[in-house]
Amino acid sequence: MAGVLSVEQVGAALGDLRGWAGDASVIERSVTAESFLDGIRLVAEVAHVAEQADHHPDIDIRWRTVTFRLSTHSAGGVTEKDLALARQINELIG
């Protein structure tokens, strides 16, 4: 099982993760897409990457706004797996 990161570790990592906020329990980022379908396409791209990593975000879709929440539920908080997926999501967002 991956170890939960401390508040300090998460805070330091968030400094390098544009658009992300949170604490040791969960990190999240919201994105406003150009259209509803663009938001759905982004979700599909993230789903593909998440499936490959076997690590799945909580995703909330509200018209053009998509929010990704990352936490390793089995560990009880944010782990390196979440930071890695956040980096990949940022790459997809561009």
Side-chain angles (χ1 to χ4, degrees):
M1 179 184 336
V4 175
L5 301 175
S6 69
V7 172
E8 293 79 15
Q9 290 171 309
V10 172
L14 289 174
D16 294 327
L17 284 169
R18 185 175 49 89
W20 290 86
D23 55 33
S25 63
V26 65
I27 60 173
E28 71 176 37
R29 179 174 181 181
S30 293
V31 178
T32 301
E34 291 290 321
S35 69
F36 177 73
L37 287 177
D38 288 334
I40 296 301
R41 281 186 206 93
L42 174 61
V43 168
E45 291 173 356
V46 169
H48 180 72
V49 169
E51 189 67 15
Q52 287 179 329
D54 193 29
H55 190 62
H56 306 91
D58 293 330
I59 302 172
D60 182 63
I61 304 166
R62 306 287 171 123
W63 185 36
R64 296 182 313 135
T65 302
V66 180
T67 301
F68 300 98
R69 287 183 190 83
L70 299 174
S71 179
T72 303
H73 301 291
S74 61
V78 176
T79 67
E80 287 293 338
K81 291 176 77 170
D82 300 300
L83 299 179
L85 186 54
R87 287 183 199 97
Q88 289 182 296
I89 291 171
N90 274 5
E91 288 178 20
L92 292 171
I93 292 168

